[in-house]
Amino acid sequence: MNNMQKRIAVIGAGVGGLYTALAFDEALNKEKYTFVIYERMANIGGLWNFTEDIGIDSSDGLPVHSPMYKNLTTMTPNDLAEVGFTELFNENERHYVSRERVAEKYNLYKHINCQHYVKNVKKLETGFSLDIVNTLNNNMMSVEFDIVIVAAGRYNYAKLPQVECELLKNFSGRYFHSKDVKDTSRYNDKRVLCIGSGYSALDISLLLHKAGAPLVTVNAKPCLTINNCNFPWNEYFKIVLCPIKAVNGKNIIFEDGTSDEFDVVIVCTGYICQFPFLEKQLQPEFRKPSFPHLYEAVVNIKHPQLMFINLRPSFLPKICSYLQGHFVCNILNNELKNLPNEKQMEIAVQNWYSEIPDTSSLTDVTKFYCNYYYKLQKFSPRVVIDKRHEKFTPYCIKVLLEGTHIEKMDKLLEDFA
């Protein structure tokens, strides 16, 4: 590092941090910038680091980061998940490429400091001050950086529905958020209610069914994933499309008058995006649920030296991270001079909000995501997103139901032409 280089801190070495690092290695002006990645855990991978721990991580005494559970279904064919990175996987592989292989293939470990927990990020007059704890010896250091990139994920803090959780205080069985599931085989003799209508509710319910649970019921909202695809859900589990009305012991009564006895309730209602290490003025706003108030879903409008990776909903998180990383390179290489002013960025965000589709149309939602990739891919010749990717959502449902994994996009096109 020379005195002329500006320093960049990347927080997190999961998907977001790794693919951002790759983009930086490819396109960042090394004469102007140097960067380092801080990862809290002993291994790279972020939320893909499975742990049996619930609540507190036994390795460092901090809250458990990963929401993974055993046999979690990943739903993307390899040449879709790794579009532009075919050198990462072998032709016959049926699983996601490991984070370790990504780091090794592209020589990314040289940038990463594992077991370094970013405790605080404070804004200075120019740049930022980071308090960083080495979790091996509990020593803390304060380091100043010019740019901060937050790639710490958006699936850390459980979102619990207030009304349902208040009613469940009268439940005499167990209830908990899906982050704490860990292993569905533990409930093979239990009557289970899953509250939620997204992919985790579907995946967990199907795993419970496969594990032999005598009763699996999904309490879903109308107009979302579960009732917008023409699949025979009732062959796998029971669906109730109305809210819980009352709870009495293990008996749960729904608004339509039906009721059942349950031993376990799993709340599959997603996550709240929080970054407790950021001081208040740096926290990203969410004026629309799940959609950050950031320019191009990346740049903090009031503090443009602070950027976020993979904070918006995304069905291709690796590709999203990589494209956003190249977008950040373009901004930094131009020393932020190509960014619009604050007012123009505010207008751009409002225009983006107006384009968010109604969730009753999964096709429109997928096209909305793809339109974002179409915009960003001009910054990277490696990745080409095209109309094939708009067929992603029905494919996901097929994978969940059949427990299969289609390897090639050609097969996906054939099935959903």
Side-chain angles (χ1 to χ4, degrees):
M1 175 182 169
N2 61 55
N3 292 331
M4 299 299 292
Q5 287 177 307
K6 292 187 175 181
R7 304 185 69 195
I8 303 171
V10 179
I11 302 174
V15 165
L18 290 176
Y19 281 83
T20 298
L22 175 56
F24 281 8
D25 270 353
E26 290 177 345
L28 192 65
N29 186 328
K30 307 305 187 299
E31 293 183 359
K32 293 182 178 180
Y33 298 99
T34 182
F35 73 96
V36 62
I37 303 175
Y38 293 109
E39 168 56 47
R40 183 195 116 180
M41 289 181 280
N43 301 306
I44 64 171
L47 64 83
W48 292 97
N49 282 314
F50 174 76
T51 174
E52 294 272 7
D53 293 337
I54 294 174
I56 298 298
D57 193 317
S58 59
S59 68
D60 58 18
L62 296 168
V64 168
H65 179 78
S66 176
M68 279 192 71
Y69 46 88
K70 289 183 179 178
N71 300 312
L72 182 151
T73 299
T74 57
M75 303 175 293
T76 316
N78 278 332
D79 61 342
L80 171 57
E82 309 291 349
V83 61
F85 299 94
T86 53
E87 70 272 16
L88 280 173
F89 62 90
N90 298 319
E91 183 69 21
N92 296 320
E93 285 183 324
R94 299 179 59 82
H95 51 74
Y96 266 176
V97 172
S98 71
R99 307 291 84 77
E100 290 78 13
R101 189 186 305 178
V102 174
E104 290 167 1
K105 178 71 176 178
Y106 301 114
N107 194 24
L108 301 179
Y109 278 113
K110 63 186 178 184
H111 302 298
I112 302 169
N113 289 317
C114 285
Q115 293 178 296
H116 280 71
Y117 166 55
V118 177
K119 187 175 182 179
N120 296 303
V121 178
K122 299 176 183 177
K123 185 73 179 76
L124 303 176
E125 186 174 346
T126 58
F128 304 87
S129 174
L130 276 63
D131 293 332
I132 303 164
V133 179
N134 182 329
T135 58
L136 281 173
N137 55 28
N138 211 32
N139 288 339
M140 187 170 76
M141 58 183 176
S142 293
V143 189
E144 292 186 10
F145 289 89
D146 301 284
I147 307 290
V148 171
I149 311 294
V150 178
R154 54 193 303 271
Y155 300 107
N156 302 339
Y157 297 90
K159 180 182 179 182
L160 297 170
Q162 186 175 355
V163 173
E164 285 85 349
C165 287
E166 187 64 31
L167 291 169
L168 287 171
K169 289 180 180 179
N170 298 318
F171 184 58
S172 60
R174 288 187 62 205
Y175 78 93
F176 49 88
H177 189 269
S178 57
K179 184 175 183 178
D180 296 336
V181 168
K182 302 302 179 184
D183 186 355
T184 53
S185 66
R186 297 173 182 172
Y187 312 106
N188 60 352
D189 59 345
K190 306 297 183 185
R191 300 163 296 180
V192 185
L193 173 67
C194 291
I195 300 175
S197 18
Y199 291 133
S200 61
L202 299 182
D203 189 34
I204 290 169
S205 297
L206 287 164
L207 288 173
L208 289 164
H209 167 79
K210 293 173 183 177
L215 173 65
V216 182
T217 300
V218 176
N219 181 211
K221 293 180 180 178
C223 301
L224 293 178
T225 308
I226 208 162
N227 57 311
N228 274 277
C229 297
N230 187 25
F231 289 108
W233 306 111
N234 57 358
E235 293 181 14
Y236 301 89
F237 43 73
K238 181 180 177 181
I239 298 177
V240 179
L241 293 175
C242 62
I244 295 173
K245 181 179 181 180
V247 177
N248 183 13
K250 290 190 174 183
N251 185 247
I252 295 182
I253 305 162
F254 300 97
E255 291 282 0
D256 63 0
T258 61
S259 66
D260 265 312
E261 297 271 332
F262 296 97
D263 304 298
V264 175
V265 175
I266 303 175
V267 183
C268 310
T269 49
Y271 294 83
I272 300 170
C273 193
Q274 293 179 339
F275 302 104
F277 53 84
L278 294 177
E279 63 179 348
K280 186 175 181 180
Q281 65 169 319
L282 302 178
Q283 291 286 345
E285 295 183 73
F286 288 83
R287 299 182 190 177
K288 291 270 187 179
S290 299
F291 291 92
H293 195 81
L294 302 169
Y295 177 64
E296 296 295 359
V298 172
V299 182
N300 184 306
I301 294 173
K302 294 188 180 298
H303 306 285
Q305 296 86 358
L306 173 64
M307 305 182 200
F308 296 82
I309 296 296
N310 219 1
L311 202 52
R312 59 165 286 157
S314 167
F315 64 79
L316 294 173
K318 288 179 273 190
I319 301 308
C320 184
S321 302
Y322 178 75
L323 291 175
Q324 287 180 334
H326 270 279
F327 174 63
V328 170
C329 286
N330 180 266
I331 294 170
L332 296 180
N333 290 343
N334 286 281
E335 298 178 339
L336 282 73
K337 294 175 183 177
N338 59 342
L339 279 176
N341 61 38
E342 183 176 329
K343 183 178 180 180
Q344 291 169 329
M345 287 194 281
E346 281 284 357
I347 292 171
V349 173
Q350 293 302 329
N351 289 340
W352 176 49
Y353 284 164
S354 69
E355 297 169 2
I356 298 172
D358 185 86
T359 52
S360 61
S361 171
L362 292 176
T363 300
D364 288 346
V365 170
T366 310
K367 286 182 178 179
F368 173 70
Y369 292 159
C370 284
N371 286 338
Y372 181 68
Y373 300 141
Y374 297 155
K375 182 188 295 185
L376 291 189
Q377 67 184 5
K378 66 182 178 183
F379 298 107
S380 170
R382 178 196 280 264
V383 172
V384 178
I385 306 294
D386 56 39
K387 293 294 182 181
R388 299 178 305 164
H389 300 84
E390 295 178 13
K391 296 180 179 290
F392 177 80
T393 299
Y395 165 79
C396 289
I397 306 300
K398 183 179 179 68
V399 168
L400 284 172
L401 283 172
E402 297 185 358
T404 58
H405 193 86
I406 300 171
E407 292 300 324
K408 304 298 291 180
M409 281 297 298
D410 290 342
K411 177 62 176 171
L412 177 57
L413 281 171
E414 179 184 316
D415 286 358
F416 293 102

